[in-house]
Amino acid sequence: MNRASSPTASAPVGRLTTPRAAVPVEESRKPAPDALTIGRRLRHVRQESGQTLGDVAQTVGMSASALSLIENGKREPRLSVLTALAEALGTPLAELLATAPPTRRAALEIRLERAQRADSYHQLGLPAVKIGPRLPMEALEALVGMHEAMASVQAERAATPEHARMANAELRMRMRAADNYFGEIEGMAAELLTAIKHPGGPISRAAVDRLAGHLGYSLVHTSDMPGSTRTVTDMTHKRVYLPQPEAGQHDSRSLALQAIGHLVLGHQVPADYAEFLSQRVEINYFAAALLMPEQDVVPRLQDAKQAKDIAIEDLRDAFAVSYETAAHRFTNLATRHLDIPVHFMRISREGVIYKAYENDGVSFPRDATGAIEGQRVCRQWTARRVFEQPDLSQAFQAYTDTRSGTYWCTAVVDRTSDGLFSVNVGVPYQSVKWMRGRETTHRSQSRCPDPSCCHQPPAELAERWTGHAWPSARAHSHLLAAMPPGVFPGVDDTEVYTFLERHAPTG
Ligand SMILES: [Zn+2]
């Protein structure tokens, strides 16, 4: 099912984006009567009885303006007041407390009143339409219809963590089906490299500048980037703003190439979280395809396979990229060009998955939605055992017997300001003959998800401590939290526009 109503649903074809499932919209109304419904029923009954506001107010001993506030739903009446009003109007109390609005018009008025009171409407800075007998029925119908359509679009945009997890799981399945190889993006990258007459090998900062120039853009490094952004592209003046490159920081070539990727791949403002995620994967792929061009990497890998000496660190060193970029790029090309199925993961020191990919049958822990991010991998896996090694600067290789077969993995510890992570690449036993480091004697058994493997504490300890410990969990709330609202999720628009204004060329 495609959301045909969305004007931004035109997705780039042939890459990662496929039609998305519609998000169910909450349509149930509150069962208990609220102040608005009570007010409308009260006014209806009063008008039917032919009495004025003043008449009824006097009978129950309150001011006409106070009664008016109640009828307009702006004040919640106490039960004693409601009982007195029912008596004055000669109607049972239950009639005033019924949940259904008295007429269709009243129902529409209540819905419009609610919509106009919502914070999301106030944020638009538009005036509230006066709801009264002079508002034509068709205007009322149209306004209510538009408010409610807008609310449902907003509900779809605000992905819940569960939607986010499902979108992630679906995206990983599509990457797996393509063996993590995207020919269209490889083709675009190759064309661009030809256009700037790249001689081959690693791409320099100067070459990235030429690439931007070829597309009509210039790269501007600045030290006052808005805090909520990594890069900002000024599409009017054709500039890409980037942070000043600092030692140990993000590779600025990679950031620039990702920003350029949005332009080259024809990305539109993402219509929902799934499209946002697809775009992130695509720009990452695009940047990697330029940093480590297919036509340069593949011959190297083929030679290394011939020599039974494939090593991720050789790719890292040859193309001046991070180990993670090299490892991830290896997963793009290994199955397609070398016929080697692979898995990849980035996990925290606690074993929690941040990123992972597999097409070699390795069994990642997953939740009910199929998502693996935030799950904890087996303690016996190489990705975790690497943290126990005496020298964390060395790559660690080991075999692991799992319920889906034996895998050989190589893992490296990545030190970041957020703590230690491990980056792990693995292949099934039958492919290990091509890999450097296969002679390792490290070997472990993983019986996960059998709880007795590593999730269940040893019986002796459990007996001593069950019921006597109260740990407070470190929350991984940033991991797949709901997508923040806004066209560009998580970005502070005010900050970005002020920044652009400050930097835009004058005249
Ligand atoms: Zn285990």
Side-chain angles (χ1 to χ4, degrees), residues 60 82 128 157 194 220 231 252 337 388 435 457 483:
V60 300
L82 268 182
R157 266 187 189 274
T194 307
V220 181
T231 65
S252 81
H337 290 291
E388 297 158 12
M435 309 300 292
M483 180 166 78

Side-chain angles (χ1 to χ4, degrees), residues 73-331:
K74 289 182 177 147
R75 178 176 293 175
E76 192 135 8
R78 287 211 306 268
L79 193 62
S80 58
V81 173
L82 268 182
T83 311
L85 284 168
E87 202 168 309
L89 292 165
T91 192
L93 179 62
E95 178 68 13
L96 295 183
L97 287 174
T99 51
T103 60
R104 165 141 182 84
R105 184 177 174 98
L108 287 169
E109 286 181 355
I110 289 169
R111 280 153 71 186
L112 182 57
E113 182 81 47
R114 267 199 204 116
Q116 293 191 152
R117 283 185 192 179
D119 286 349
S120 56
Y121 187 69
H122 284 293
Q123 280 163 8
L124 297 176
L126 296 171
V129 172
K130 188 163 162 48
I131 301 167
R134 273 180 299 168
L135 184 61
M137 189 64 178
E138 62 184 359
L140 193 56
E141 296 262 16
L143 282 171
V144 168
M146 289 197 305
H147 272 291
E148 293 182 358
M150 213 175 77
S152 83
V153 168
Q154 281 175 342
E156 280 186 45
R157 266 187 189 274
T160 64
E162 194 189 349
H163 292 145
R165 297 181 75 77
M166 289 193 307
N168 240 323
E170 193 190 304
L171 182 59
R172 205 179 43 261
M173 267 155 54
R174 280 187 271 137
M175 289 161 72
R176 187 188 205 276
D179 286 332
N180 214 15
Y181 176 84
F182 294 93
E184 195 183 338
I185 301 180
E186 299 284 0
M188 287 176 172
E191 253 173 57
L192 285 169
L193 289 170
T194 307
I196 60 161
K197 302 188 169 57
H198 182 62
I203 184 166
S204 62
R205 286 271 302 279
V208 176
D209 274 326
R210 286 207 303 284
L211 193 76
H214 171 71
L215 298 165
Y217 277 77
S218 59
L219 303 180
V220 181
H221 290 271
T222 141
S223 48
D224 64 342
M225 287 299 296
S228 60
T229 65
R230 299 194 303 167
T231 65
V232 176
T233 301
D234 175 344
M235 293 159 87
T236 304
H237 304 100
K238 302 212 179 286
R239 289 173 155 198
V240 178
Y241 293 100
L242 302 154
Q244 293 287 4
E246 283 173 47
Q249 291 290 314
H250 256 299
D251 185 337
S252 81
R253 292 176 307 165
S254 179
L255 281 182
L257 291 170
Q258 289 180 22
I260 291 170
H262 281 304
L263 306 168
V264 173
L265 300 172
H267 285 168
Q268 304 290 316
V269 174
D272 58 19
Y273 191 74
E275 192 172 350
F276 170 76
L277 279 181
S278 290
Q279 291 184 354
R280 285 296 270 259
V281 168
E282 288 178 10
I283 59 167
N284 276 324
Y285 195 109
F286 176 81
L290 284 160
L291 288 171
M292 306 184 71
E294 185 178 26
Q295 60 265 42
D296 293 324
V297 178
V298 172
R300 277 173 182 276
L301 283 175
Q302 281 165 341
D303 288 349
K305 186 183 177 192
Q306 198 89 45
K308 301 190 170 183
D309 194 31
I310 298 175
I312 305 298
E313 40 276 48
D314 287 357
L315 286 183
R316 173 195 66 193
D317 298 343
F319 292 90
V321 293
S322 68
Y323 186 87
E324 182 172 355
T325 301
H328 198 264
R329 186 68 175 137
F330 180 67
T331 70

